[in-house]
Amino acid sequence: MKNNEDICKLFGKKLKEERLKRNINQEELAFKSKLDRSFLSEVENGVKNPSLRTLYKLSTALDMELKDLLDL
């Protein structure tokens, strides 16, 4: 099983890929998800471990199902 750091980095990579697929910068995603841009940067870099509420906000802002965002 992967440790927390590995999971956070994998999720951060997935989040960034999905954001870039949609041609959205971090600032725009932050606005759409009502999250701080610096927090998003930390999530994408695997530094922060987002809560379930945050994951839902991100999936909604990216117009995708939460399960698909979590498909690492």
Side-chain angles (χ1 to χ4, degrees), residues 7-61:
I7 294 299
C8 290
K9 286 183 180 182
L10 283 173
F11 177 76
K13 182 179 177 185
K14 171 75 173 194
L15 177 61
K16 185 175 183 176
E17 287 172 358
E18 294 297 336
R19 177 176 62 75
L20 292 175
K21 274 187 202 174
R22 291 160 177 77
N23 295 317
I24 299 172
N25 62 33
Q26 284 181 346
E27 208 167 303
E28 188 175 351
L29 182 56
F31 178 77
K32 287 182 171 189
S33 62
K34 297 182 174 117
L35 297 169
D36 188 78
R37 195 220 41 89
S38 63
F39 175 74
L40 286 178
S41 176
E42 291 176 316
V43 171
E44 286 188 358
N45 287 309
V47 175
K48 294 285 186 177
N49 184 6
S51 70
L52 185 56
R53 282 189 177 99
T54 298
L55 294 172
Y56 179 76
K57 287 179 181 183
L58 290 168
S59 67
T60 301

